[in-house]
Amino acid sequence: QVQLVESGGGLVQAGGSLRLSCATSGRLTGNSGMGWFRQAPGKEREFVGTINWRGDRTNYADSVKGRFTISRDNAKNTVTLQMNNLKPEDTAVYYCALRKAYDYSGSSASSDYAYWGQGTQVTVSS
């Protein structure tokens, strides 16, 4: 059974930073793209960023480009989202997601992901 567990969320002031981690168990993740999504209250889930299987290609939503960075450690089956210069509009539940085995590229489409974590709350105060 594949499990994804996010950690690192919390409350931070605008302009601050947080580092989210996603640990995966149940299968190796080194042959799949991974991504981060978020959902704010009353809004649909939206794409944040994605990374390919080797970690050498990333893509970000325009709203976070230049502030957020995704990285991965395949030896540890983890993916990380470094969030800097946070804004109140970044407040949301953040989810990590994993594609099926051998889907090597990242993706901005939530429908391309087979596995999801439970989410971690990020709250940015003004």
Side-chain angles (χ1 to χ4, degrees):
Q1 181 179 359
V2 179
Q3 287 189 319
L4 286 73
V5 179
E6 303 95 338
S7 61
L11 174 64
V12 64
Q13 288 189 331
S17 298
L18 281 176
R19 186 178 181 89
L20 305 184
S21 293
C22 176
T24 303
S25 61
R27 57 157 277 205
L28 297 177
T29 58
N31 56 9
S32 303
M34 297 190 73
W36 286 93
F37 292 76
R38 68 186 182 187
Q39 187 167 18
K43 296 188 176 181
E44 294 188 353
R45 187 173 298 185
E46 67 173 1
F47 167 71
V48 174
T50 187
I51 189 166
N52 70 336
W53 69 289
R54 290 191 301 190
D56 60 353
R57 289 192 179 183
T58 56
N59 186 33
Y60 301 94
D62 288 343
S63 59
V64 307
K65 204 170 291 184
R67 300 188 297 121
F68 290 12
T69 303
I70 295 177
S71 59
R72 66 187 298 166
D73 185 337
N74 288 336
K76 296 181 179 180
N77 281 345
T78 59
V79 64
T80 299
L81 180 66
Q82 177 66 44
M83 306 186 293
N84 298 327
N85 191 22
L86 283 160
K87 304 176 180 181
E89 51 264 41
D90 295 319
T91 295
V93 177
Y94 283 71
Y95 300 88
C96 70
L98 172 68
R99 300 194 71 186
K100 292 185 300 184
Y102 310 115
D103 283 343
Y104 292 104
S105 64
S107 174
S108 61
S110 60
S111 58
D112 284 342
Y113 291 86
Y115 308 99
W116 293 82
Q118 299 272 22
T120 185
Q121 176 70 47
V122 171
T123 303
V124 184
S125 63
S126 57

